[in-house]
Amino acid sequence: MEKQKKARTAHVVLTSHSNQVFKDTPPINWGEKDPKKRGPVIATISEKQNRNAIGTHSGSYTVYRALSIASGAFPKLHKPELANTEGTFRFKPNPSWFDSTKIVTIDPLGADINIHFKDYLDAGYNIKPTIAVTQAHLHIPEVRDAVNEGRLKIDGKIVKEDFSIKCTKVALEPVWYLPGMAERLNVSEGELRKVLFQETGGMFPELVTRPDLKLMLPPIGSSTAYIFGDPDDIHNTDKELTCRVHDECNGSDVFGSDICTCRPYLTWGIEDAARTAQRGGVGLIVYFRKEGRALGEVTKFLVYNARKRQEGGDSAKNYFYRTECVAGVQDARFQEFMPDVLHYLGVKKIHNLHSMSNMKYDAIVGSGIEVVNRLSIPEELIPADAMVEIEAKKAAGYFTEGEIKDSKDLESVQGRKLDE
Ligand SMILES: [Zn+2]
């Protein structure tokens, strides 16, 4: 072990070094229908000559992997044993998979690599799935409440006798096709690469030295789709689809912190998704790890304090302004890329979209998906301290079926004081 550690630290090969360009690297032809021509995403560290992507697997967890290898607890050359890991459901290819502009942040061939890339696997290439599909039963107190209050019924199929909801869940790691992302952001690929390199403190030199590598597996959080009902019906526009695309808010989603509406929105979406499945449709919740409008929890908590300490207290009037003061922007989530997951799953029409956000709505509709109804959260589910957020969002043009307050009224919508 000691010898192995020394060997690793003594020999560092820079990714920018010219001898890191190999002839036998399988090329990637994004959007190509034949998997053999499209090529597998290879981001293994152990066989450098095969790598055709910048970065490594597992998103942000790659850093923890490095720590465990550094500590000697993890074998550096581990090759995944994938027997019996096949998904509980297999998504059939849909036209979006083979359109190089429709999906640019996920590898549509990232699941079922044993089928798509059997020849490469047989030839010994170290390929890892970037999408995994499994089943789960969700136990959620709000769902139990919905049953007890008569809004949701136990049917033994979708909602079980123990109040759990049965679902299929899909984990998706980010795989970025840089030319497609640049196009969607309306910037040049070179500019996108340069800024990604600079703003990560020079983390991935290949962004600027290897324009031939078109893919990047960025060290960011993944996303998860929870599907209620038959996943095969998602692409069937005749079947009712209820959908919520939810951005992570750990404090509310998991811990029930009541300054925002995130958890109530999420559980209301799940409840309605289950109801839709019971009516013969499909429910879909997509959960994105984009904590605090993708600005992170530290920024978010600083904003909470600034909001509550500002002159006049926490009012709906200054809700967005405070975030911009602290973070420089109001929002860094880039909803432009959010619909990629929907296109992967084959969504063409959403009958009920659970969201107030125009950014989400515009991104979904702009990507070619039809939205029939938009639903905002019922007033009785909004926590007391979150009225500031809701009223500010409505006044800023977020979707609502209710009344919109004017500037003076917004001042009167006050949150709890800091020490209350
Ligand atoms: Zn929240």
Side-chain angles (χ1 to χ4, degrees), residues 249 252 260-262 300 304 389:
C249 172
S252 170
C260 55
T261 53
C262 301
K300 186 180 192 172
Y304 286 162
E389 177 201 290

Side-chain angles (χ1 to χ4, degrees), residues 205-226:
E206 290 153 303
L207 280 166
V208 286
T209 63
R210 294 288 306 275
D212 58 309
L213 296 177
K214 297 295 183 191
L215 298 180
M216 179 185 190
L217 276 62
I220 60 168
S222 55
S223 46
T224 316
Y226 288 81

Side-chain angles (χ1 to χ4, degrees), residues 94-115:
N94 73 71
S96 298
W97 289 23
F98 312 116
D99 178 338
S100 63
T101 64
K102 272 274 191 260
I103 301 175
V104 297
T105 56
I106 299 165
D107 176 10
L109 305 181
D112 305 310
I113 59 161
N114 55 335
I115 297 167

Side-chain angles (χ1 to χ4, degrees), residues 71-99:
S71 72
F74 192 123
K76 185 179 160 62
L77 297 177
H78 171 74
K79 204 165 177 175
E81 164 64 59
L82 297 173
N84 295 329
T85 62
E86 296 86 3
T88 52
F89 178 84
R90 199 179 153 220
F91 288 94
K92 291 185 193 77
N94 73 71
S96 298
W97 289 23
F98 312 116
D99 178 338

